[in-house]
Amino acid sequence: MSAPVHEQILVHTIEAGNSDFKRYQALLNEVKSRTSAIGLIQSGIFTLKTLQQAEALTTMLSLACPDPSAVALGLSELLVNAIEHGNLEISYSQKSQLLENGHWDEEIKRRLQQDKYKDRFVEIQFSRTPDTIEIIIEDQGPGFDWQKFTQCDPAKFNSKHGRGIALAIAMGFTHLEYNEKGNRVKAVVNL
């Protein structure tokens, strides 16, 4: 006998929340454990390809911001989106299916080796002015309809993913600005 739909939604919601919580706790612990002169950075350009590189850069750049914990969560979401949805062209529905089947990690690794995707990278530009920090993230994918994802959709609470952009807006960034194509975002932190 299968569980009623509302029980299945509750199970997915709890699983998604637990997964997000574990990932964010690990990220926050990493940020808290680091002390560095990176807070002195005025500008820099970085490139990355993998989720591990994104995590390392998130830790470093968030330490250059006034509230590292809040910025780390939003920055992590934006970098992960640039890799998996941008460069690797994994759609929302494909990611849903991969997460459901437990194949998300292996699909990321598989696509990173494919000729179509293996040379793509994400470029991150960091710059500090007296009033703001700007982080520009640009992937080499085809872009996406970003307008659909800027508001926190209650329907996505039942999903294992799909809250990244809304979380980035809510956590640490004053605002986000996407280019029309949707493969470039400027995240701003007011100082």
Side-chain angles (χ1 to χ4, degrees):
M1 184 168 126
S2 66
V5 174
H6 67 279
E7 287 182 24
Q8 290 173 348
I9 290 171
L10 180 60
V11 168
H12 284 297
T13 302
I14 291 170
E15 287 174 354
N18 189 36
S19 175
D20 286 350
F21 178 77
K22 286 179 182 177
R23 187 168 69 91
Y24 296 146
Q25 277 304 114
L27 186 60
L28 292 177
N29 288 337
E30 183 69 16
V31 168
K32 287 178 186 176
S33 73
R34 303 283 179 175
T35 56
S36 171
I38 196 66
L40 304 174
I41 189 172
Q42 292 298 308
S43 65
I45 297 174
F46 309 89
T47 59
L48 56 84
K49 291 183 177 187
T50 69
L51 296 175
Q52 294 78 17
Q53 292 168 340
E55 184 178 313
L57 187 63
T58 294
T59 300
M60 185 183 81
L61 292 182
S62 64
L63 288 169
C65 297
D67 187 356
S69 297
V71 170
L73 298 178
L75 182 57
S76 173
E77 291 293 334
L78 295 175
L79 292 177
V80 167
N81 283 349
I83 293 168
E84 67 182 21
H85 298 306
N87 284 351
L88 300 180
E89 298 183 38
I90 297 173
S91 70
Y92 179 87
S93 60
Q94 288 171 326
K95 183 174 179 179
S96 296
Q97 187 175 28
L98 290 166
L99 288 170
E100 188 70 31
N101 297 329
H103 298 297
W104 179 73
D105 287 326
E106 68 186 56
E107 181 65 13
I108 296 287
K109 291 174 187 168
R110 186 180 74 78
R111 288 190 187 213
L112 283 169
Q113 300 302 312
Q114 291 180 334
D115 287 340
K116 181 177 180 178
Y117 308 113
K118 71 180 182 179
D119 294 325
R120 290 183 180 182
F121 59 89
V122 177
E123 181 176 279
I124 301 91
Q125 298 174 32
F126 178 95
S127 63
R128 177 192 307 271
T129 69
D131 301 321
T132 63
I133 291 175
E134 292 182 359
I135 302 171
I136 298 172
I137 301 165
E138 185 168 359
D139 64 64
Q140 296 179 321
F144 76 111
D145 183 10
W146 55 269
Q147 295 91 342
K148 295 187 330 187
F149 296 92
T150 57
Q151 299 299 318
C152 198
D153 181 358
K156 289 192 177 103
F157 291 142
N158 301 326
S159 177
K160 291 187 176 191
H161 67 103
R163 299 172 297 276
I165 294 172
L167 181 62
I169 293 169
M171 297 295 296
F173 295 117
T174 307
H175 67 276
L176 300 179
E177 296 175 21
Y178 279 88
N179 66 352
E180 187 175 331
K181 181 178 175 182
N183 72 326
R184 184 175 189 268
V185 62
K186 177 168 65 171
V188 178
V189 177
N190 285 341
L191 298 177

